[in-house]
Amino acid sequence: MFKPLPMQRAALFMLSDDAPLAALTLAERGVFNPETTHLSANDLPEFPGESYRELYRSARSRLDKTLAHCSALKDELPMPAPRLVSEPELAALDEWLRAVWTECSKCQEGLRHFEEERKHIDQLLRAIDNFAALDIDLGLLVGSRRFIDVQIGTVPVAHVARLREALGIADYLVRPFLEIEGLTHLVVAGAAGKEDEARGVLQAAGWRAIEIPLELRERPDKARRDLQQRLDKVLEETDLQCRVIENTQKEFNDRLIEAQQVLAMVAPYAELGEALRARGGLVGIGGWVPRVDVASLRTALEERFDKRFVLSVRDPRPEERLQVPSVMRHVWFLRPIVQLVKTYGVPRYGEIDPTLLFAITFIAMYGMMFGDVGHGLSIALLGLALRKRLRQFTRFVVAIGLSSASFGLAYGSVFGYEEWLHPLWMSPLTDPTRMLTLALYWGIGFIVLTTLLNIRNRLADGDWEKALLDRGGLAGLLFYLGLLYAGFRYASGAEVGWLEGLVVLVPYAVIVGHIWHENAVSLGERILIVVIEGFETVVKYISNTLSFLRVAAFSLNHVALAIAVFTLAGMLDTAGHWITVVLGNVFIIGFEGAIVAIQVLRLEYYEGFSRFYSGDGREFRPLTLALGSPGKT
Amino acid sequence: MGPASRYAYLHGRVSLMGARLLSETALANLSQVPADQETELLAAGGLKPPSEEQTVGAMRSLEQRLISSLLADIVVLTRALTGGARDFLIYWAYRFELSNLKTILRAKLYGESVATVREQLFDMGPFARLPVDELLRTDDVTELLRRLEGTPYADIARQGRRIYDEQHEPFALDAAVDRQYFAGLAKRSREAEGGGDPLRTLVGNLIDRINLLWLLRYRFAYGLPAGETYYLLIPAAYRLGGNELQRLSQLGSFEEVIANVPPPWGPLLEGAQSAAEVTLRLERDTWRLARSVMARGVFTTARAFAYLLLREKELRQIRAVVKGKRLGVAPDLVREAMGLEAA
């Protein structure tokens, strides 16, 4: 629970013909994370299955695109008994998917085309009224002319100025007369014979010609009706295209489900990638397995291959530490927290897994900053009511709600009323200084703990230098404690002398010396880095500590917000009073509740995790039999 | 807060990074020393020695390393910046991603295999914004442009789609992509807080240079009419303003354009015979300007940009010398490819 599971480097040797079935077996067990093999390139120089893998990638991509296009498939599909899929079968499937996707792609392109056409006609309809604004005879715009080339159309607004200049070179005149939705309507006119030159410019500017209805001059109503008919036709064609999509969904649904199942069975072998090496009839598969699962994996392989394989495992070597994937298995309650931890990063192998620390401190700080029995219970009940949507996060929401309710008991606050309940401890506003002092102690404790964890993590990495001399290591911790001691002496009016100076300056000198030592660059750059980073060390420790004052600030803010609500309610009659109280409390729960959550998360990530948690570990990604795209599961 | 305090850290970093740039002499020596003595010279420029191999893969990996090195410098410099200035430098890094995008677009036009294209792409590290895998797995250009509409390159996708629908030409697509990018660069340089005149001068020099080269290419290599040529240039006016470019676009020959280019470009380009020669002379001028901005020591983003221009120049020269030596190209040709003055 406190660090990722111990892992074993595994190497599986077997006959080449058995490799696809072995991949399926490994996927069924779901405990084998393939890894570019450590097996000697000289012994096993070949990478088999490259064409199979390429076919899989192509088919998978086409299937994903088609599924995104046809959303009729069910989310939860049964997985049939695993079987081997041959390369010809996979090639045939890829070819079929190509044909299906080509149809879907045509549909998408068709819909896009109709949408553009719809917009164009819409613009034309809106432009008809504005043709009157043109100070020219409309008859000039219709049909071809012998000596003059006149065109009317649209370009994006941003292109007009440049177009005018460019067409000016070809002796064309440009007259904008309307601007709708980012498009400018223009009339361009020039001497006949230079149409080709003008056409190139117009094309480059994204010109779209507008056909002037012949009847526009004498019978504008007829022109409008014709355009409306054109629009109706486009809408009809769009509907038709949508029906084509529906039909495609119906027609191909069963085969697409089947394709998903087939690709799920192909995936394990294809996903092995360079973890699979071979020489002639022998293959080796490299990967990582949690130590606790090695025995069961061996049994599964024995059941399927009897003695036709060799599985060797060993502990990771120190130099492999950064490559080892981390497996975080937690009790059910902590699983939603794991997701929040992973948002920051995956723990490095051997590094302290901060999930439990995160859970305890997050829930505690949330309660401290948002302590109210009524609000807390409301959050907990809300979490339960939304459990279908929140899924595994339900228990997390209930937990922070209960924490808030518990601190509400300590503060004696129920929906902002402080007189209904006698506080088990005290209301924050009665002694703000005490609250701020406690928050400061909490912050100091948090920073000391996380720095200790960092020292431990660096020692586990074998990085003694960073563990002892770095600003986040022992030297940093001693500097921080020295700073606190000197600060405390100064604040309490005691004498600050050479001892206080020594406990601050000695570890600080070590830190600065270490920064100097680890930046082997030119002298000027070294001095710059040492000055900036040395200064930053001091600022960071102080600002991080003060950052925790927000724990007290928000608890005070919570009470103050309630007082504001009651003050407003007090100015109104009975009905208005209760409406204000209810709406005020809803506002506090929704708005302040969310802000507090964000603030706690900020404290956890920036003041906590950034101190000790590298979060640059590799997530354990075992081969599995899943219907979705591997990247999306 | 004044510019001195705001840019002190950036200034410090740029000065120190600038001190690592190889001198013209060191670069010239690099083209002459045997391969086993390259290590020391390259280490001075913060680079590991390249592989002895001559394969396409080895050259590609060298190119990737040089780009990664430049991107790493941009990461360091952007840490010391905020707001518009930071956006400007980050946007500069996206140039390499556009090169990836153009490679993918061309590959889709010519139906190249995913594996082949993947080998040609640069790893953009922290600056990656393109969903490369998704784009590589598209079945044709229209699908690619549809997918691209869901990325930060949506503007380019929309513009590209219209051009593709009408012209189906990689050249037109490439031109649209570049034009959009450099227009964005000019816009960001104006928004870069503290950019000031030196930044405007540097970006202006760059954009004027590109416009002049594109003008020569569009008019005399692709044979485009004057109006279209002018429209395809970057819509940003610096020393070569709209009127100048319109006037030059209408001239009938390469020599005529060169003879009519206004100062400061005119004297610089006097007697130039080819687009390659024009490129080299204009590039040298940009590098000279960048060196002068670096030397002036003003506290602005311009110094960081000047450093990046010089660093890129250095990396390109290193690539040219390494490639040339591995392929056994004559030293004079290598020096020419490096853009060094004649020996």
Side-chain angles (χ1 to χ4, degrees), chain A residues 91-167:
Chain A
L93 177 65
D94 181 46
E95 190 48 37
W96 179 76
L97 284 166
R98 190 193 61 76
V100 173
W101 169 243
T102 305
E103 285 305 309
C104 296
S105 188
K106 265 190 215 158
C107 281
Q108 285 190 0
E109 204 52 32
L111 280 176
R112 191 193 64 77
H113 173 74
F114 291 135
E115 178 57 17
E116 280 202 350
E117 186 64 14
R118 189 195 62 72
K119 279 186 189 160
H120 182 60
I121 298 172
D122 199 37
Q123 289 244 343
L124 267 177
L125 277 167
R126 291 164 68 178
I128 275 185
D129 296 335
N130 293 280
F131 280 135
L134 277 173
D135 190 19
I136 53 171
D137 179 357
L138 280 173
L140 285 173
L141 305 178
V142 185
S144 58
R145 293 276 167 273
R146 196 168 165 193
F147 300 112
I148 189 166
D149 174 36
V150 181
Q151 298 184 49
I152 184 160
T154 60
V155 291
V157 174
H159 298 184
V160 176
R162 190 75 171 178
L163 181 73
R164 194 197 292 265
E165 290 170 356
L167 282 178

Side-chain angles (χ1 to χ4, degrees), chain A residues 116 120 123 151-160 162-164 166-167 181-186 188 198-210, chain B residues 155-167 172 176 179-180 228 231-232:
Chain A
E116 280 202 350
H120 182 60
Q123 289 244 343
Q151 298 184 49
I152 184 160
T154 60
V155 291
V157 174
H159 298 184
V160 176
R162 190 75 171 178
L163 181 73
R164 194 197 292 265
L167 282 178
E181 292 171 1
L183 289 176
T184 301
H185 293 239
L186 307 165
V188 297
R199 191 179 306 124
V201 181
L202 291 171
Q203 274 184 354
W207 173 263
R208 177 131 197 205
I210 294 175
Chain B
D155 282 353
I156 287 175
R158 277 190 284 274
Q159 177 91 352
R161 180 196 288 284
R162 202 164 278 135
I163 286 165
Y164 177 74
D165 283 349
E166 284 161 10
Q167 300 180 45
R179 187 171 171 274
Q180 195 96 359
E228 192 175 351
Y231 188 83
L232 290 175

Side-chain angles (χ1 to χ4, degrees), chain A residues 199-347:
Chain A
R199 191 179 306 124
V201 181
L202 291 171
Q203 274 184 354
W207 173 263
R208 177 131 197 205
I210 294 175
E211 319 80 46
I212 307 289
L214 287 168
E215 303 84 352
L216 187 61
R217 200 166 167 214
E218 280 90 24
R219 297 168 60 199
D221 287 351
K222 165 90 171 48
R224 188 180 289 279
R225 263 202 314 279
D226 287 350
L227 279 175
Q228 192 58 53
Q229 275 173 7
R230 241 175 90 186
L231 184 64
D232 291 344
K233 193 155 183 264
V234 167
L235 293 175
E236 203 177 291
E237 278 171 336
T238 306
D239 278 351
L240 196 71
Q241 198 64 261
C242 289
R243 276 202 294 281
V244 170
I245 294 173
E246 272 175 37
N247 291 339
T248 312
Q249 288 167 355
K250 280 181 197 152
E251 187 185 344
F252 297 128
N253 197 49
D254 291 347
R255 276 202 76 183
L256 285 171
I257 290 174
E258 198 187 314
Q260 267 189 297
Q261 292 165 336
V262 170
L263 288 185
M265 286 179 277
V266 172
Y269 185 59
E271 294 290 318
L272 281 177
E274 292 187 0
L276 180 75
R277 298 189 77 124
R279 177 188 279 271
L282 179 73
V283 293
I285 304 172
W288 296 99
V289 185
R291 190 185 285 162
V292 290
D293 296 316
V294 171
S296 67
L297 180 66
R298 194 183 293 278
T299 309
L301 288 166
E302 276 168 1
E303 278 170 12
R304 194 154 274 173
F305 300 104
D306 192 23
K307 305 278 184 204
R308 300 197 316 276
F309 75 95
V310 173
L311 175 67
S312 64
V313 291
R314 62 166 173 77
D315 288 333
R317 296 190 182 116
E319 68 271 17
E320 290 174 330
R321 203 173 164 75
L322 290 175
Q323 297 164 19
V324 189
S326 298
V327 186
M328 297 157 77
R329 285 183 190 159
H330 289 283
V331 291
W332 63 274
F333 181 78
L334 290 176
R335 276 175 211 153
I337 316 278
V338 173
Q339 296 305 316
L340 288 170
V341 170
K342 277 189 193 167
T343 308
Y344 188 90
V346 175

Side-chain angles (χ1 to χ4, degrees), chain A residues 437-448:
Chain A
T437 312
L438 281 174
L440 204 62
Y441 287 154
W442 167 265
I444 290 168
F446 196 87
I447 290 171
V448 169

Side-chain angles (χ1 to χ4, degrees), chain A residues 54 57-58 61-62 65 98 101 105 108-109 112 156 159 162-163 165-166 169 197 200-201 203-207 522 524-525 528 532, chain B residues 9 12-13 16 20 137-139 142-143 146-147 159 161-162 165-167 179 225-228 230-235 246 249-250:
Chain A
E54 189 46 45
R57 287 192 199 120
S58 166
S61 155
R62 285 174 174 148
K65 289 189 291 194
R98 190 193 61 76
W101 169 243
S105 188
Q108 285 190 0
E109 204 52 32
R112 191 193 64 77
H159 298 184
R162 190 75 171 178
L163 181 73
E165 290 170 356
I169 295 175
E197 195 173 338
V201 181
Q203 274 184 354
W207 173 263
S522 64
E525 195 164 0
L528 183 76
I532 299 277
Chain B
Y9 183 58
R13 293 252 36 154
L16 294 164
R20 285 207 311 252
R137 292 282 167 206
T138 54
D139 283 65
T142 50
E143 190 196 340
R146 270 205 317 274
R147 298 258 169 238
Q159 177 91 352
R161 180 196 288 284
R162 202 164 278 135
D165 283 349
E166 284 161 10
Q167 300 180 45
R179 187 171 171 274
E228 192 175 351
Y230 174 72
Y231 188 83
L232 290 175
L233 301 180
I234 304 160
Q246 282 178 52
S249 300
Q250 292 176 77

